[in-house]
Amino acid sequence: MRWFLTVLGVIFGIVVFLFLDYTLPSKQTVRITNTYNRLTDIGANAFFYASPDTGTVQNAQGQRDVRFIDTVRPNGKPYVYRNEDTGWIWPPYFKYDSSNLHAQATDLRSTATSPEWVSVTSYGWRIAWLSVYPNAISIKPVAGPEVKPFNWAAQIILLILGALLFLLWRMWNQFRERTIDPAVRSADAAWDRLDARADAARDRARGRMRRWWDGLRGR
């Protein structure tokens, strides 16, 4: 039973980690190379795109007109973002300015010979074989490729979650000390009394049997 609970705890921890890793905002320093719209097939990867409730139009073939932002990292590797509104749906970024962000990204495009570096705040993963892209939330110019703004939002959210987990842990400990542990001790004491009574009854029965047998032998 203990190994099952351990495996269950590990799986739960992995799920929580993946949920936070996908949902929490991240910051990357990049150079924008291109911005464009593209008809994108939405199928098995629909979970990683905005909900149709945000006003996103999808045709009968399961294609959606999605804005994209092409970027290059300081190490020269490409990184592509999508740019979709989130609305009031999960995750709760309440983003309604994808068109404004697209215009800002277009204005900040640059070349390798004359680079302009920006910090892009986004959430999500880049999974090439599933055509999954992180969703850009905001863009801010930075002085150079070595600038890495501190991710205050993610740290504050993690701090709040940590405080909530600590509070839940303390509440559980108090509940266990005040309710569960006394109940377990009471049950153990009741079992001990029952066991002692059973032992006493067994001893009395043995005594009667011995006296009865001694009486038979005396005859």
Side-chain angles (χ1 to χ4, degrees), residues 14-176:
I14 293 174
V15 170
V16 171
F17 171 80
L18 292 176
F19 173 80
L20 293 175
D21 186 60
Y22 181 86
T23 307
L24 289 178
S26 62
K27 291 180 179 291
Q28 301 90 21
T29 298
V30 296
R31 176 174 59 84
I32 299 175
T33 60
N34 194 21
T35 58
Y36 56 95
N37 288 48
R38 187 182 75 216
L39 280 177
T40 305
D41 292 323
I42 307 296
N45 58 359
F47 174 81
F48 299 99
Y49 283 81
S51 169
D53 295 340
T54 61
T56 303
V57 178
Q58 189 166 311
N59 62 26
Q61 289 73 38
Q63 296 177 319
R64 186 182 298 178
D65 191 19
V66 180
R67 297 182 178 93
F68 287 95
I69 303 173
D70 289 350
T71 69
V72 174
R73 291 178 169 178
N75 59 10
K77 294 183 178 181
Y79 199 71
V80 182
Y81 299 89
R82 62 187 168 92
N83 178 18
E84 287 190 294
D85 288 338
T86 62
W88 293 85
I89 313 300
W90 179 90
Y93 284 94
F94 313 116
K95 177 188 173 187
Y96 284 98
D97 61 345
S98 59
S99 56
N100 292 343
L101 189 65
H102 193 73
Q104 182 185 7
T106 302
D107 184 55
L108 289 170
R109 288 182 300 181
S110 64
T111 63
T113 56
S114 181
E116 291 186 33
W117 297 96
V118 298
S119 175
V120 178
T121 301
S122 66
Y123 72 89
W125 301 323
R126 176 70 175 107
I127 308 176
W129 60 276
L130 274 178
S131 296
V132 171
Y133 306 87
N135 192 10
I137 301 300
S138 65
I139 300 173
K140 291 184 178 180
V142 293
E146 72 284 350
V147 178
K148 292 180 173 55
F150 189 74
N151 195 352
W152 285 104
Q155 299 303 319
I156 290 174
I157 292 172
L158 288 174
L159 184 62
I160 293 173
L161 289 176
L164 289 175
L165 287 175
F166 177 75
L167 179 62
L168 289 174
W169 177 73
R170 288 291 300 166
M171 292 174 62
W172 166 253
N173 276 346
Q174 290 181 0
F175 175 75
R176 186 187 62 187

